[in-house]
Amino acid sequence: EPEVTQTPSHQVTQMGQEVILRCVPISNHLYFYWYRQILGQKVEFLVSFYNNEISEKSEIFDDQFSVERPDGSNFTLKIRSTKLEDSAMYFCASSELSTPQYFGPGTRLTVL
Amino acid sequence: RKEVEQDPGPFNVPEGATVAFNCTYSNSASQSFFWYRQDCRKEPKLLMSVYSSGNEDGRFTAQLNRASQYISLLIRDSKLSDSATYLCVVLNSNSGYALNFGKGTSLLVTP
């Protein structure tokens, strides 16, 4: 069964550093998403991406965040200058239509 | 007011029991509804979509009441492997693609 994959599984970085989280969505899917989950809290939407552009973003997704689909398979989330409060689990998801959305295993980001 | 509200639990039930979870949502324009399950430190996994007429998938039954803005999940004959957090998820028509998650209800099935 096809699945969303993410790398790395765990990323540790210093405050102020840039990080890039990578995702490979399910191959025939057209919609891509990033969500995050701070420990003990609910899953929160960050951004959706369709047809090579952002289709929607939340207030969390400020100028420090960007997304890119650099080739036909990868989908990346970049955080330009990490803050302590960016520490969270970041989930990539994809879907054929807007729903249902299927999630990758996540990248645990720890900002020190 | 939270968009999607769930009883956090935990629900501790013996194997074989029937357990029900409830969820309420605040946005009457919500158009699609789902239950996901999440194991500790893992990704949300789609359990089932929820349809207006109600739907069943094996031991799992989901119901939707649009008038009351209420969603339920019933698990029959609980298994140890059902232990997880169950997430009520709503897609609002005016938010395009963003899923709105409840905080989840924790279930522990004991031998």
Side-chain angles (χ1 to χ4, degrees):
Chain A
E1 184 178 322
E3 55 187 25
V4 177
T5 59
Q6 290 185 243
T7 54
S9 56
H10 191 189
Q11 175 87 48
V12 181
T13 190
Q14 295 290 326
M15 192 169 57
Q17 294 296 303
E18 175 183 285
V19 295
I20 298 176
L21 311 183
R22 292 183 166 81
C23 168
V24 178
I26 294 171
S27 62
N28 64 331
H29 284 184
L30 302 176
Y31 295 80
F32 315 117
Y33 314 85
W34 285 100
Y35 291 81
R36 79 170 187 191
Q37 186 175 31
I38 295 170
L39 188 63
Q41 298 189 24
K42 67 175 185 175
V43 177
E44 300 174 289
F45 170 78
L46 293 178
V47 65
S48 60
F49 193 86
Y50 171 71
N51 202 24
N52 284 319
E53 61 183 24
I54 290 173
S55 47
E56 187 180 1
K57 59 183 181 179
S58 72
E59 59 189 25
I60 302 170
F61 194 88
D62 61 22
D63 292 344
Q64 292 298 312
F65 291 87
S66 62
V67 290
E68 195 177 33
R69 188 153 161 83
D71 53 44
S73 59
N74 289 286
F75 180 51
T76 63
L77 174 70
K78 183 193 291 187
I79 309 174
R80 262 181 273 283
S81 177
T82 49
K83 306 183 189 67
L84 295 176
E85 55 264 36
D86 293 328
S87 294
M89 195 76 161
Y90 288 81
F91 294 110
C92 174
S94 70
S95 61
E96 201 169 352
L97 302 172
S98 59
T99 59
Q101 297 177 17
Y102 297 93
F103 286 73
T107 293
R108 179 166 302 282
L109 177 65
T110 302
V111 182
L112 302 175
Chain B
R1 183 180 173 185
K2 294 177 188 168
E3 286 203 48
V4 181
E5 292 207 55
Q6 298 182 249
D7 181 344
F11 283 62
N12 293 333
V13 302
E15 261 186 298
T18 295
V19 61
F21 304 135
N22 303 319
C23 166
T24 56
Y25 59 94
S26 61
N27 189 335
S28 59
S30 299
Q31 60 178 12
S32 300
F33 309 90
F34 309 91
W35 284 101
Y36 280 71
R37 71 170 275 168
Q38 186 174 32
D39 294 283
C40 189
R41 295 179 177 254
K42 301 284 190 182
E43 74 273 25
K45 288 189 176 175
L46 179 66
L47 184 64
M48 57 198 302
S49 301
V50 186
Y51 304 118
S52 296
S53 54
N55 48 299
E56 189 173 304
D57 183 2
R59 299 182 292 108
F60 299 86
T61 301
Q63 297 279 349
L64 168 64
N65 184 322
R66 284 188 185 270
S68 302
Q69 295 179 204
Y70 171 95
I71 307 159
S72 66
L73 177 68
L74 184 78
I75 305 176
R76 288 182 299 279
D77 188 24
S78 300
K79 312 290 184 194
L80 296 177
S81 57
D82 293 334
S83 297
T85 297
Y86 289 82
L87 309 176
C88 179
V89 183
V90 172
L91 179 72
N92 297 327
S93 60
N94 58 358
S95 72
Y97 311 100
L99 294 180
N100 289 290
F101 282 79
K103 206 171 171 186
T105 298
S106 175
L107 172 67
L108 179 62
V109 182
T110 55

